[in-house]
Amino acid sequence: MFREIKNRYLRYFTILIYFIIIFFCAIELNFLWLFGYSPDMSDIKTPTMSLSSEVYTADGKLIGRFYKENRSPVEYKSISPNLINALVYTEDARFYKHGGVDFVGFMGSLVSTAKGDRRGGSTITQQLAKNLFNTRKRKSQGIIRHIPLIRTIVFKCKEWLTAFKIEHLYNKQQILTLYLNTVPFGNNSFGIKTATLKYFNKTPDAVNPAEAATLIGMLKATSTYNPRVYPQRSLERRNVVLGQMEKYGYLKKADYDKYSRMPLNLDLSYVDRTGQSDSYIRRAVEKWLDKWCKDNDYDLYEDGLKIYTTIDSKLQQYAEEAVAQKMKMLQKRFNNLWGNKNPWRDSKGVEIKDFLLKAEQRLPIYKLLSKKYNGDTTEIKKYFEKKKHMTVFTWNGDKDTTFSSIDSIKYYAKLLNTGMMTMEPSTGKIKVWVGGIDYKYFNYDHVNQAKRQAGSTFKPFAYVTALDNGFTPCDKFTDKPVTIKYKDNGKDDVWQPNNADFHFSYRDMSLRWAMGKSVNSITAQLTEHVGWDKIVDYAHKIGIESPLKSVPSVSLGSNDVSVFEMVRAYSTFLNKGEKVDPLLVTKITDQKGDVLQEFKLKAERVLSEETAWLMLYMFRGGMEEPGGTSQALWEYPDLWKKNNQIGGKTGTSSDYVDGWYMGITKDLVTGVWVGCDDRSVHFTTSETGEGSHTALPIFGAFMEKVYTDPKSGYTYGPFPKPWVKITKEYICPSPVIREDTTSTDSLMETPMDTTSAPATVPPPAENPEGAPPATNN
């Protein structure tokens, strides 16, 4: 058919145009899978950007992001004209005159390249096509990708086709907005809002011409012109952009002179406050949403979700301050206790000789070294003993030092850690989540990941089992030696627990007094009466999910549990006997604010209201009963105003490895654990290592901060009055025991009414918590 065209030049031109059309159609249709994917019009209408998901506190503060490409989109009206003009006059001066492809600019770039001055001819729209639809990524490539020159031509043609489609569907403002929201600025930062915040701590509408020129100048080569890494190069490139803005009339000569003389004036503070910087809360949210994302086909790292948590930013701040204040003090106490001695000891106090070797072998690098050196322990030892520069955690800030790997293992093994969680039982909302002392150095979350022996904080599960099965707070047992025979895996065994001070008073004590004073012998007798199997059942029913070995010592906390579980279980008592599933996330929306999911409180009645209230009354015994183990809280005077009441339970595991405190107010339940990550490293005495001396002070300092802030939303006050009629006897004053100063071997006992102990007069000094051979309280 081409032969009908008599003019051969016209014929050749027509053939060329024909084959160009065929070529573009083949590319568009991906003929024989030669050319790979090309975005169609539906793709252009609904472009998919990888957007960061944002995590907010209950009061609207941004506390973290999840992203593969860190971007946060903005609208055109929120972008400064300085940015728009810097972009257009530097990258595509004819932007408003072409329809997606600037053939004049393209031909000019070919001529310049031929002369040795290589420059790009892509328009902003073409660059958008490349950024938004990945036209050069492997997914968009076909078999042709193996032919170098043809591959480049296909890439360019795809960009042209996509650019024409974009210009057909979007106006120039929309194209500029899409471009600035997708363009990369290096260091995994995408989009103009992320860039303006990262480099200048400003929103995109607030940047001046110099700042706009700095950012747009980066687009030529984000690494080469990074203002943080190469400030001089960045400044020179910025002035080139300012020159373009002057050349095309956007800047006057005087403004150009003014801005070109300015320093970069970077403000990098925003980097430390936001971004993907990991935290215990961020990781907890990720784990909490894992199943939801899978069930609903969302990607937390790409779909731009907005996640609203239950965390109260003020309470979280107070908790972190209390942790820092008290843990710094506890670490100093621990260091003074051990001095230059190695603290890794067995149950008899003998140093564990192979502790460091085993610590080395647990590291992933050990297997690699063993393979590299064919198991030569001498070479492996040399590696671990080689000194190198590193930064380590200290309570006075990060410290640069020279350590060997062995030095590092020794150093970190001696550091105490903590886990703390606060929950509002009436709503199920988690208000505080402190997974450790510093996420940067300690990724392991001590709220939900770590499980440790609960010590005497587990005793309340024995007492609630008793109260729910016929016992009353006033029933009495005698503090005396106990021998319990039982079978463990089919073998006969005997359990004979001691009290913490290895002393039995042979005094009759009410259950409230025994729990308040944490008397092991009476708890053991109670366990024998109600049955350890039943105690395990109640613990699971109330909120403990971890496997529990059903043995007599279960009531003294011989099993491992998490802070999360303990807070949930204790919240059942304050929530009128209804167990709740703790809420960490209340709502998830998309980028537009449309609600994707709201999470509601799930509650289940597991105790009667009477039993739940009686347990709150029992918990008050820690403060009100003689020798109550919570009485160290009297050292915090700001806790005891306006008839305020606090209940709680301390706990300490064997050899003072784990210190616990579970604190209850009229509104909140807080759990705190303190200890070293390795169980062979621990305190050595009750005065230094009991929960009342390690975990309780963190709770006390935290609640003081909460109460003294009138805007915290939590006020002083007594525990709730009975929700129902109490049918069991519970008012049974215990004797106040005072030493007779005239005789060292006589005691005076006087009755004390504990139904409304005054909050301003401290009870008698605290006695040590009780402890069996296997588990201390």
Side-chain angles (χ1 to χ4, degrees), residues 239-254:
N239 290 345
V240 170
V241 176
L242 288 172
Q244 289 293 104
M245 295 167 75
E246 182 202 10
K247 175 183 177 181
Y248 288 98
Y250 180 70
L251 282 183
K252 296 179 180 178
K253 181 68 168 62

Side-chain angles (χ1 to χ4, degrees), residues 167 300 375 444:
E167 291 272 352
L300 198 57
Y444 199 59

